[in-house]
Amino acid sequence: IRDFIEFGPGIPRGVTVNRGADIHVSGVDIEGRFKPNHKFSAILGYAFQSTDLNSPTSAFDPDGAYAPDHKFTGIINVNPVDLLSFNFGFNYWSKFDSRGFPAETTNRLGIVVGEPFTYANFQTVVKLPVGGQHLNLGFLIKNVFDEEVQLSPAQGVDDSLFGREYYGIVSFDF
């Protein structure tokens, strides 16, 4: 990436300067799909990313923020009958540096930043026939594993996963 923009020392955040050196990023992304029948399907993925932002003289470069080396993704869909569906999806991120802290360090609030974590959701929906249409009723659980992860080291910025969330789903197909 040529002419990467960085914030100069002492310069307000609204003013930027060009970074002199190029940044080299390499990686691989692999995805597999499996659908043996119309009642079951799955997608599994893996991604690896490597950057040269961590130079030999410094093991930490804040410009490499929020870039985990490894990410795993999975989605499983099950439809035991035509009017009922279950969906489970997850993403796993390996440890990552933030703008102000290397991975797995503790910020001034006592919160560990950049820990590896898994974020998963589960959803079930039943389709009820109403005339020629469908009324969909469902339930969604976000953050199934109840992860409490600090995603941003910035004080006063709420970018954290603070626990499990529950939602009801009601929709009507016209």
Side-chain angles (χ1 to χ4, degrees):
I1 302 171
R2 185 169 290 289
D3 297 327
F4 183 77
I5 295 175
E6 71 177 27
F7 296 104
I11 296 176
R13 285 282 195 207
V15 180
T16 59
V17 295
N18 286 340
R19 182 176 176 127
D22 292 346
I23 296 172
H24 299 280
V25 179
S26 61
V28 64
D29 189 351
I30 300 169
E31 181 178 283
R33 294 174 180 255
F34 181 67
K35 187 171 183 176
N37 56 52
H38 73 281
K39 294 180 184 274
F40 179 85
S41 65
I43 300 172
L44 298 173
Y46 170 75
F48 172 77
Q49 172 180 266
S50 176
T51 68
D52 65 348
L53 289 172
N54 292 335
S55 69
T57 59
S58 170
F60 171 67
D61 184 336
D63 290 330
Y66 312 110
D69 291 336
H70 306 278
K71 181 180 177 188
F72 294 92
T73 301
I75 300 170
I76 298 171
N77 294 302
V78 178
N79 297 29
V81 294
D82 289 339
L83 300 178
L84 179 64
S85 65
F86 299 96
N87 172 274
F88 176 77
F90 74 90
N91 286 293
Y92 164 83
W93 288 267
S94 64
K95 67 181 181 176
F96 55 93
D97 293 336
S98 69
R99 292 288 300 170
F101 299 92
E104 298 181 311
T105 58
T106 304
N107 68 14
R108 290 177 283 179
L109 299 174
I111 300 170
V112 179
V113 178
E115 292 182 297
F117 69 96
T118 302
Y119 185 78
N121 296 329
F122 173 79
Q123 175 178 297
T124 184
V125 175
V126 61
K127 293 182 176 187
L128 303 174
V130 178
Q133 311 299 349
H134 287 102
L135 173 65
N136 303 309
L137 301 176
F139 187 69
L140 170 65
I141 303 171
K142 292 182 115 183
N143 196 6
V144 171
F145 301 128
D146 201 21
E147 294 276 353
E148 294 183 12
V149 177
Q150 176 73 17
L151 298 178
S152 170
Q155 294 186 13
V157 176
D158 183 10
D159 279 345
S160 300
L161 299 175
F162 283 114
R164 198 173 291 124
E165 299 176 40
Y166 303 91
Y167 297 89
I169 300 167
V170 177
S171 66
F172 187 76
D173 298 335
F174 292 96

